[in-house]
């Protein structure tokens, strides 16, 4: 367990991940941004919970598959000692698990955001910023699962009503659910479908036999037309409005 010197006015992050190479990679990705500082690291839940209580960072990045305790259970513990304070620690789950049970269990436990481990280095700091600002970063690969959960309003795993709809707060305005299906061109709809499926620009270019530059242009147009700040928000709005299936 390592602890770094604390710096004010930065997003303070603690990493709880048992794979050394993965933890180093995450740290490198985050520390490329001046506004983010990794203030502690732990390779298991026991050390992680001690670190979080001592440092009280802004965000805990937690791997689900920890050796001594499931990351979902650790998330419950973190949320339990937050006590709803303004300085509460936000939890960003980072994992290889994209199955429905893991996703819903993580949000039911109180996770604020959910990222897949194959997230691009450039996107991880953005996920941290979004989470820090009080919104949920939802990986496009699991957006459909989350939206079905929110729309159906099912029970939490403990049997109580789910009061936390795990979608970005900017998406909670019901007026955004209705989008004119003709606002996007046929090609933009094809690109949007692939965005929802979690495809990168390179993969989209390969699938549609177009250049990456053309994909970037389509993505920019899609974001503008849907009034979305990023690809995740566009995917959420597209799924909510039924623009894509």
């Amino acid at each position: 367990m390592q602890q770094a010197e604390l710096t004010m006015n930065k997003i303070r992050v603690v990493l709880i991940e048992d794979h050394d190479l993965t933890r180093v990679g995450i740290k490198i990705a985050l520390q490329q941004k001046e506004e983010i500082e990794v203030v502690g690291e732990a390779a298991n839940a026991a050390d992680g919970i001690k670190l979080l209580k001592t440092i009280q960072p802004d965000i805990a990045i937690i791997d689900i598959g920890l050796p001594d305790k499931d990351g979902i259970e650790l998330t419950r513990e973190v949320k339990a000692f937050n006590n709803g304070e303004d300085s509460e620690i936000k939890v960003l789950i980072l994992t290889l698990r994209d199955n429905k049970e893991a996703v819903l269990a993580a949000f039911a436990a109180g996770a604020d955001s959910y990222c897949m481990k194959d997230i691009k280095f450039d996107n991880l700091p953005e996920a941290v910023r979004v989470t820090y600002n009080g919104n949920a970063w939802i990986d496009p690969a699991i957006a459909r699962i989350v939206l079905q959960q929110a729309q159906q309003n099912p029970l939490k795993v403990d049997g109580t009503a789910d009061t936390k709809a795990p979608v970005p707060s900017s998406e909670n305005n019901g007026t955004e659910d209705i989008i004119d299906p003709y606002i996007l061109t046929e090609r933009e709809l094809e690109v949007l479908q692939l965005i929802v499926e979690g495809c990168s620009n390179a993969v989209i270019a390969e699938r549609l036999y177009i250049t990456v530059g053309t994909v970037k242009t389509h993505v920019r147009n899609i974001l503008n037309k849907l009034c979305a700040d990023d690809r995740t928000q566009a995917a959420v709005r597209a799924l909510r409005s039924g623009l894509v299936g």
Side-chain angles (χ1 to χ4, degrees):
M1 180 170 63
Q2 301 175 349
Q3 183 172 339
E5 181 179 352
L6 304 185
T7 302
M8 300 299 292
N9 301 322
K10 288 191 177 185
I11 302 175
R12 301 162 60 247
V13 176
V14 163
L15 305 179
I16 305 176
E17 160 67 56
D18 62 315
H19 291 97
D20 292 341
L21 288 178
T22 300
R23 194 170 63 251
V24 170
I26 295 170
K27 185 175 181 179
I28 291 173
L30 295 179
Q31 292 190 156
Q32 290 178 348
K33 305 298 180 180
E34 292 183 358
E35 70 272 27
I36 300 174
E37 181 180 13
V38 177
V39 295
E41 305 171 49
N44 57 63
D47 288 342
I49 199 74
K50 293 177 183 177
L51 198 58
L52 294 177
K53 289 181 177 179
T54 301
I55 296 180
Q56 288 288 313
D58 300 305
I59 296 176
I61 297 180
I62 298 176
D63 176 34
I64 284 184
L66 296 171
D68 56 339
K69 180 179 295 185
D70 192 287
I72 293 174
E73 179 58 33
L74 177 59
T75 297
R76 290 195 188 94
E77 291 187 21
V78 173
K79 292 300 178 176
F81 69 71
N82 274 334
N83 294 321
E85 299 294 335
D86 291 338
S87 60
E88 72 170 314
I89 300 170
K90 294 180 173 64
V91 173
L92 188 156
I93 294 290
L94 191 65
T95 179
L96 291 173
R97 300 186 196 175
D98 61 354
N99 61 78
K100 181 177 180 180
E101 291 74 18
V103 172
L104 298 186
F107 281 114
D112 297 280
S113 293
Y114 198 103
C115 292
M116 302 302 296
K117 283 189 176 179
D118 59 0
I119 186 173
K120 285 187 174 182
F121 267 26
D122 289 343
N123 288 342
L124 184 55
E126 177 64 18
V128 168
R129 281 191 292 266
V130 168
T131 305
Y132 176 75
N133 289 329
N135 296 322
W137 173 276
I138 304 174
D139 196 297
I142 58 98
R144 190 184 310 277
I145 295 173
V146 174
L147 287 171
Q148 288 174 347
Q149 166 83 347
Q151 291 165 353
Q152 296 170 6
N153 193 28
L155 298 180
K156 281 188 177 181
V157 292
D158 61 1
T160 61
D162 188 358
T163 58
K164 179 183 179 183
V167 294
S169 60
S170 60
E171 299 301 320
N172 291 338
N173 186 341
T175 60
E176 294 181 346
D177 291 349
I178 302 174
I179 299 176
D180 184 349
Y182 300 105
I183 193 173
L184 300 179
T185 66
E186 183 176 349
R187 178 61 88 185
E188 287 168 350
L189 284 172
E190 291 175 334
V191 173
L192 182 58
Q193 177 67 56
L194 293 174
I195 289 175
V196 169
E197 293 174 8
C199 296
S200 66
N201 286 347
V203 172
I204 294 174
E206 182 179 352
R207 294 267 189 95
L208 299 181
Y209 302 101
I210 57 180
T211 67
V212 172
T214 300
V215 173
K216 291 180 179 179
T217 298
H218 286 314
V219 171
R220 184 166 57 250
N221 291 339
I222 290 168
L223 297 184
N224 289 336
K225 290 180 179 181
L226 298 186
C227 299
D229 296 328
D230 52 46
R231 295 161 72 98
T232 300
Q233 196 175 77
V236 169
R237 291 184 178 174
L239 286 167
R240 292 193 118 192
S241 66
L243 278 179
V244 296

